Amino acid sequence: MSVESDRDVLVRIRGLHFRRGPRVIFDDLSLDILRGSVTAVMGPSGTGKTTLLKLITGQLRPDAGSIEVDGEDVLRLDKAGLYRLRRRMGMLFQSGALLTDLDVFENVAYPLREHTDLNESMLRKLVLLKLEAVGLRGARDLMPSQLSGGMARRVALARAIALDPMMILYDEPFTGQDPISLGMLVSLVRQLNDAAGMTSILVSHDVQETASIADYLYILSQGRIIAQGTREQIEGDDSEPVRQFMDGLPDGPVHFHYPASPLDEDLRSPGRRR
Amino acid sequence: MRFEGLARLGRGVIGALERLGRAHLLLLAILGGTGEVLRRPRLLFDQIYNLGVLSLLIVGVSGLFVGMVLGLQGYYVLQQFGAEESLGIMVAASLVRELGPVVAALLVAGRAGSSLTAEIGLMKATEQLSGLEMMAVDPVRRILAPRFYGGVIAMPLLAAIFSAVGVLGGYFVGVGLLGVDEGAFWSQMQAKVDFQEDILNGVIKSLVFGIAVTWIALFQGYDTVPTSLGVSRSTTRSVVHAALLVLGLDFVLTALMFGD
Amino acid sequence: MGKRHTIEAMVGAFVALGVVALFFLAMKVSNLSMISGEDGYQLTARFSNIGSLKVRAPVTMAGVRIGRVESVSFDKTTYEAVVGMRIDAAVDSIPDDTFANIFTSGLLGEQFIGLEPGGSPEFLRDGDAIANTQSALLLEQMIGQFLFKKAGESG
């Protein structure tokens, strides 16, 4: 790739190193995310996909490397600058992360109340529009505890787009959803991206759903990108690790077993006192 | 292996120092949120309600009983010296100087501190704090700072209520039930309890305890390991650390105030 | 909003209660102010020594409390202590030749004023002074005198 001009690249990551304790999460990772695209970052559990989102939004700091969002170096920004940048980003957490003591309406209104001086009737209209976009205008008076997982995620999505961000980051949006709400979420992600001209970064290990809406895919394994390209390119990739992940084979380069000593040896040893 | 014990000790000390450092950084960040609290007093009112009004019952009732017990016990001791008129001083001085600030702080640590820790810890565990950060809202300023000031404001008021109710409890038992002269009860009290020496120092103590208890509760919640076990441990630690710190600080403050 | 309003009202009540408690501690428990202005009438008495008599100590007659000490001051011309007392309004028949003593309740207890009525038909009124007084017995002085006497007897 890399024929894209600088203007088209919204997020540019170069030479990213990150370790947590002795574990290396990212080892010289570089990737670009284009404006207006839905980019998926996929990989087996534990490859640091969520960590990547936290690095892009400046919640974590890398050990080395550079992260640029919309031309701004995230690592050089002070707190105020970072918060200014985050107002233009939305993030959908795996859990939804709704404020549990506010109802649905107030949750969506929250970022508007914090960052704008809209009067009450303007604010109401905006919130209802955002809720309408996720199909939950009728649920405005419910408390988060009364919502199903899928509904909570859609409310969180309405909140994430409340300030009309330039970019939205999805952390495992499809995990643990029933088929119906899964379908709704998948089409919502695509619709929001196209209707509002946003850029979407999707972190997921749900291969089929993610591949069906992504314009460009990165597959991570053990801290590195093992494959990238459009959906067709990835599907045409014959390398063993890619096929194992995409086709969901239980054993392959990524082992079913967590590294351990041979079983019979382990069974015979006296074991560790706890 | 030979140095395993030593290494463990070292790790423990380093870990404790790191936590201490993080706690102080958090306090600085909270104090940095003072402007936000002043701009939006509603947030503060909510927290004075949560920490103060909701602790009122336990503090008031405890104060009453502590005062009544002081009245009873004091009477039986003083009576042996024929000095039961001094009951007033005994009840008031012990309440205003020590028991009011200390017991109120311990009760607040148990009633309000633990709930603060659990609240913040759960907000962290359910990613609500990260969610706020991603909405470009600083959770330290928006969530922690109002709670801190709520606790610091509520504590001296609760301690004063504890002492006042306690004195009335002592009065009720001493004068009402045991027949100590009412005039002597109040006169000796007023003669011996000094406004600056005792009352103001008691207020200063409870202010310091208020800072200590709320700070610990907030830090334990904010620094929690975001799991159910982590939150439960932090809640326990919040109460234990707050109680120990209050008692330790009480000794230091007493030595400074009444020492010479 | 109703809930909002309730919270604010409760917080207001809580703060008010706390301030009242502080005020109570300051005014009633500590020495910040000596509240006066109760009903009853005032008498004064002069003592050459009041020992450790305190303001608000009881004033009794036949062992019954009939008033309390309201002020203690020093007269720098006569070198005497001037004690102001407030007597209950109901006790309006104290003869003007009444004797005022300073007693101690118990060995180490508080000192109080005991009034012993005389036989005069005239009663004391508001602002009057009791002429006959006896000072406090000081334990140190008594012991000193006792030892002195003993020494004199044996010598």
Side-chain angles (χ1 to χ4, degrees):
Chain A
M1 62 178 289
S2 81
V3 280
E4 273 53 284
S5 75
D6 275 8
R7 270 221 334 260
D8 296 331
V9 177
L10 184 62
V11 179
R12 181 194 301 279
I13 296 177
R14 290 287 175 271
L16 187 70
H17 287 265
F18 184 76
R19 55 169 71 228
R20 190 166 265 163
R23 250 188 82 208
V24 177
I25 310 267
F26 295 124
D27 182 15
D28 196 17
L29 185 84
S30 298
L31 56 79
D32 290 311
I33 283 159
L34 300 184
R35 259 179 229 277
S37 70
V38 175
T39 305
V41 178
M42 299 198 288
S45 308
T47 44
K49 300 186 297 291
T50 305
T51 309
L52 182 65
L53 294 187
K54 289 197 168 168
L55 285 164
I56 292 174
T57 55
Q59 292 180 64
L60 290 175
R61 298 185 78 80
D63 299 318
S66 73
I67 302 169
E68 255 177 47
V69 176
D70 199 20
E72 290 195 80
D73 185 348
V74 174
L75 304 178
R76 292 248 174 79
L77 287 176
D78 60 352
K79 202 168 171 181
L82 204 54
Y83 276 18
R84 229 177 296 122
L85 182 64
R86 282 185 194 160
R87 280 185 215 183
R88 298 192 288 143
M89 301 182 188
M91 180 156 170
L92 184 69
F93 286 84
Q94 208 169 339
S95 60
L98 296 175
L99 296 169
T100 42
D101 43 1
L102 298 179
D103 63 16
V104 166
F105 183 93
E106 286 301 320
N107 258 294
V108 178
Y110 196 91
L112 295 167
R113 288 197 200 281
E114 289 291 327
H115 296 306
T116 65
D117 290 323
L118 294 175
N119 62 34
E120 200 60 29
S121 80
M122 251 324 262
L123 188 112
R124 197 181 114 86
K125 279 180 198 139
L126 257 174
V127 172
L128 291 182
L129 281 176
K130 299 296 175 190
L131 278 173
E132 176 74 18
V134 298
L136 288 176
R137 190 162 46 86
R140 74 189 92 156
D141 294 327
L142 296 183
M143 295 303 286
S145 56
Q146 297 169 292
L147 301 174
S148 71
M151 283 162 82
R153 232 170 266 186
R154 277 148 70 197
V155 173
L157 187 53
R159 185 178 69 177
I161 58 171
L163 289 171
D164 291 319
M166 60 174 179
M167 172 167 79
I168 183 156
L169 303 98
Y170 298 90
D171 187 6
E172 303 282 6
F174 309 131
T175 318
Q177 298 294 312
D178 65 76
I180 300 171
S181 51
L182 186 68
M184 283 197 275
L185 278 167
V186 169
S187 57
L188 253 179
V189 171
R190 188 74 239 181
Q191 274 171 23
L192 284 174
N193 193 80
D194 298 345
M198 279 189 292
T199 306
S200 307
I201 305 177
L202 216 115
V203 149
S204 177
H205 51 233
D206 294 282
V207 174
Q208 297 314 319
E209 293 77 17
T210 311
S212 70
I213 50 166
D215 299 314
Y216 202 82
L217 291 94
Y218 287 93
I219 299 183
L220 290 185
S221 181
Q222 288 159 357
R224 259 171 298 177
I225 294 170
I226 56 167
Q228 57 173 293
T230 60
R231 191 180 166 193
E232 290 74 27
Q233 285 170 329
I234 295 283
E235 273 169 4
D237 193 325
D238 286 335
S239 74
E240 224 184 327
V242 176
R243 292 271 47 94
Q244 189 200 357
F245 180 71
M246 293 301 287
D247 301 338
L249 305 175
D251 219 348
V254 176
H255 294 295
F256 168 69
H257 290 291
Y258 197 82
S261 53
L263 180 65
D264 54 342
E265 188 183 298
D266 213 359
L267 291 177
R268 246 180 275 131
S269 78
R272 197 166 32 139
R273 283 240 188 105
R274 290 186 138 250
Chain B
M1 278 298 131
R2 239 183 317 166
F3 298 113
E4 184 53 32
L6 214 54
R8 197 173 301 164
L9 178 69
R11 268 201 301 279
V13 171
I14 291 169
L17 286 177
E18 277 176 358
R19 269 198 301 283
L20 203 62
R22 284 202 299 277
H24 281 88
L25 288 177
L26 181 70
L27 184 63
L28 275 183
I30 287 173
L31 295 177
T34 308
E36 174 97 1
V37 175
L38 292 178
R39 253 196 315 281
R40 306 173 66 174
R42 262 189 181 186
L43 297 176
L44 181 63
F45 287 161
D46 284 353
Q47 294 315 318
I48 296 181
Y49 178 81
N50 272 343
L51 304 172
V53 176
L54 296 182
S55 303
L56 199 52
L57 186 70
I58 184 170
V59 166
V61 171
S62 310
L64 184 68
F65 282 115
V66 167
M68 284 163 61
V69 168
L70 277 178
L72 272 179
Q73 294 283 20
Y75 180 81
Y76 289 124
V77 172
L78 292 173
Q79 185 200 33
Q80 296 176 22
F81 305 103
E84 53 268 40
E85 283 83 2
S86 302
L87 189 63
I89 318 170
M90 208 201 107
V91 171
S94 37
L95 276 170
V96 169
R97 285 184 172 196
E98 293 295 336
L99 291 173
V102 171
V103 178
L106 294 179
L107 290 172
V108 169
R111 158 69 190 70
S114 59
S115 82
L116 265 189
T117 305
E119 184 188 15
I120 304 288
L122 271 176
M123 286 183 86
K124 184 177 177 187
T126 54
E127 293 188 306
Q128 292 183 56
L129 294 185
S130 308
L132 286 173
E133 275 196 36
M134 273 313 300
M135 285 190 271
V137 175
D138 186 348
V140 173
R141 293 184 173 200
R142 183 62 172 65
I143 304 289
L144 267 58
R147 283 164 174 72
F148 178 76
Y149 282 105
V152 171
I153 291 172
M155 185 68 90
L157 296 174
L158 287 171
I161 291 170
F162 185 97
S163 297
V165 172
V167 168
L168 291 177
Y171 167 82
F172 175 69
V173 167
V175 176
L177 297 180
L178 299 171
V180 173
D181 181 81
E182 185 184 346
F185 185 87
W186 293 117
S187 73
Q188 294 241 348
M189 194 189 292
Q190 292 197 350
K192 292 279 164 56
V193 178
D194 187 68
F195 179 70
Q196 265 192 329
E197 188 93 324
D198 297 311
I199 310 263
L200 277 190
N201 278 345
V203 172
I204 291 171
K205 267 188 182 181
S206 60
L207 209 60
V208 173
F209 295 163
I211 293 172
V213 168
T214 346
W215 178 24
I216 287 183
L218 291 174
F219 173 69
Q220 288 294 351
Y222 195 70
D223 204 50
T224 194
V225 180
T227 60
S228 352
L229 184 65
V231 174
S232 109
R233 281 199 179 143
S234 297
T235 310
T236 309
R237 251 202 313 258
S238 161
V239 177
V240 172
H241 287 189
L244 291 179
L245 186 60
V246 163
L247 294 171
L249 276 176
D250 184 47
F251 173 74
V252 174
L253 288 175
T254 305
L256 285 177
M257 288 169 173
F258 307 108
D260 44 22
Chain C
M1 281 194 276
K3 194 169 160 244
R4 179 87 249 157
H5 195 75
T6 318
I7 287 182
E8 275 164 11
M10 297 280 269
V11 169
F14 167 66
V15 173
L17 193 64
V19 170
V20 167
L22 266 178
F23 189 75
F24 169 78
L25 291 179
M27 304 308 268
K28 191 86 177 162
V29 173
S30 83
N31 58 355
L32 187 61
S33 105
M34 297 300 167
I35 304 155
S36 60
E38 300 166 53
D39 54 353
Y41 60 96
Q42 207 193 359
L43 297 179
T44 58
R46 292 169 166 271
F47 296 91
S48 61
N49 193 328
I50 59 164
S52 57
L53 185 75
K54 295 287 178 336
V55 170
R56 286 185 70 93
V59 176
T60 64
M61 206 164 205
V64 179
R65 193 190 67 79
I66 56 162
R68 55 182 80 260
V69 173
E70 208 176 37
S71 65
V72 173
S73 57
F74 179 64
D75 185 335
K76 66 178 180 180
T77 52
T78 61
Y79 308 111
E80 282 175 321
V82 183
V83 174
M85 292 166 270
R86 186 156 289 272
I87 307 296
D88 293 350
V91 186
D92 55 359
S93 55
I94 301 174
D96 65 358
D97 58 349
T98 290
F99 218 88
N101 298 293
I102 294 180
F103 294 126
T104 306
S105 58
L107 191 58
L108 301 167
E110 201 203 356
Q111 287 181 312
F112 64 98
I113 293 182
L115 300 182
E116 283 170 29
S120 167
E122 296 291 315
F123 298 143
L124 288 167
R125 278 183 315 248
D126 187 34
D128 284 356
I130 298 174
N132 308 319
T133 62
Q134 181 177 349
S135 293
L137 286 175
L138 297 182
L139 201 59
E140 301 91 312
Q141 279 180 10
M142 284 163 63
I143 294 171
Q145 282 165 5
F146 177 74
L147 289 177
F148 190 71
K149 228 162 82 186
K150 275 283 174 198
E153 279 170 14
S154 62

